[in-house]
Amino acid sequence: MSQNRPKTMLPHELDGKRAVVTGGSRGIGAAIAQNLLDAGATVITAARKSTDETPAASKFVPADLSTTEGVREFADTALSILGGVDIVVNCAGGCRAFQSALDIENDWQHTMDVNFLSAVRVNAALVPSMREAGGGVIVHMSSTATISSYPMILHYAAAKAALEVYNKGLAVELAPDGIRVVSLCPGNVETPGADEARDKIVEYLGQDPAAAEETDWAAEVPLGRIGRSQDIADAVTFMVSERASWITGSNLVIDGGKSAT
């Protein structure tokens, strides 16, 4: 399969749209932000810090989205820059600790704050401007960890599962306002964050890091490869476009067919 396949957006299809991408400094979030920029949107990216991957044409806002105060400050800044918001992509997330499912003192609260409550708080802060604009689209980034989880990341999977349930209910609540709400479930994707996670899993399981480097992560994927950030970004670009105007409350699994097995 070509590594350089064309992106799926149409020229200028997001002209005039104002978008926010949390977790937009690298990996999937950065690819989404770049796609939205290429389609004509004005984009604000948010994360703790920018990286070499952060799209240069986006307006980067440093933010700690794990706290109520951090989200409030970010939302105020975003609205002051954009004047309103039409597209919100909640891509902030991650798993910093791999632990027993019974280890509730370590990372449960932080994982819920980053992967679930950050989206709840961002939406609460930005939806009023979307209502004023007469509509919009909210995208939540979930994970196939909700389909087949492992004890070492149960806190992460639980946070993403909560996000998916929230996604459905919010879609119903906001439909009369013309605001669509969707979620996506990426599988095993090649990104800096996922690479770090795979290394931590190897460490948690006590495996030989050198031997683990030879692991063929694509072996169980029917389409024969792990994902790329662009695979997810293209799906998001479609979801926020008018081509997806009758899609809301849905959760799209993007994993090369792995969950089907």
Side-chain angles (χ1 to χ4, degrees):
M1 298 182 187
S2 172
Q3 294 280 337
N4 300 310
R5 58 186 174 75
K7 297 179 180 180
T8 61
M9 82 282 289
L10 300 175
H12 310 296
E13 70 175 329
L14 297 180
D15 279 358
K17 297 298 184 182
R18 301 158 298 179
V20 166
V21 181
T22 70
S25 65
R26 65 175 188 167
I28 291 173
I32 292 169
Q34 188 61 60
N35 258 29
L36 301 185
L37 287 163
D38 291 345
T42 300
V43 179
I44 285 181
T45 50
R48 287 181 178 273
K49 60 182 180 180
S50 62
T51 73
D52 291 342
E53 290 185 59
T54 308
S58 70
K59 302 177 188 301
F60 177 76
V61 176
D64 179 2
L65 301 177
S66 68
T67 68
T68 301
E69 181 180 354
V71 170
R72 185 183 302 114
E73 292 176 354
F74 164 69
D76 289 345
T77 300
L79 290 173
S80 69
I81 294 172
L82 297 176
V85 177
D86 306 294
I87 298 168
V88 176
V89 182
N90 288 293
C91 198
C95 183
R96 68 182 185 184
F98 293 76
Q99 60 192 45
S100 163
L102 301 178
D103 185 2
I104 64 172
E105 300 300 327
N106 189 2
D107 211 46
W108 273 86
Q109 187 60 58
H110 178 267
T111 301
M112 292 296 291
D113 283 332
V114 171
N115 292 282
F116 173 47
L117 292 175
S118 67
V120 174
R121 293 164 179 155
V122 166
N123 294 340
L126 297 180
V127 160
S129 72
M130 301 176 85
R131 280 177 165 152
E132 290 179 8
V137 186
I138 297 171
V139 178
H140 297 120
M141 199 59 60
S142 185
S143 167
T144 51
T146 63
I147 298 173
S148 57
S149 187
Y150 302 92
M152 71 191 77
I153 58 168
L154 187 59
H155 52 322
Y156 173 76
K160 292 299 190 182
L163 185 64
E164 290 179 22
V165 174
Y166 167 76
N167 181 81
K168 294 178 183 178
L170 189 65
V172 174
E173 179 174 347
L174 298 185
D177 298 304
I179 300 172
R180 296 189 296 106
V181 185
V182 297
S183 62
L184 283 74
C185 270
N188 206 355
V189 179
E190 188 175 7
T191 68
D195 291 343
E196 292 167 8
R198 285 186 281 268
D199 289 343
K200 288 180 180 179
I201 289 174
V202 167
E203 180 181 351
Y204 178 87
L205 294 175
Q207 297 176 351
D208 178 6
E213 288 182 2
E214 303 301 320
T215 301
D216 184 1
W217 296 98
E220 296 181 351
V221 179
L223 286 183
R225 65 172 175 85
I226 65 173
R228 296 185 288 264
S229 294
Q230 195 63 49
D231 296 315
I232 314 304
D234 287 346
V236 170
T237 307
F238 167 73
M239 284 294 192
V240 303
S241 75
E242 285 302 309
R243 292 176 286 154
S245 62
W246 208 50
I247 301 175
T248 196
S250 299
N251 179 48
L252 177 63
V253 176
I254 311 174
D255 67 350
K258 173 65 172 63
S259 60
T261 64

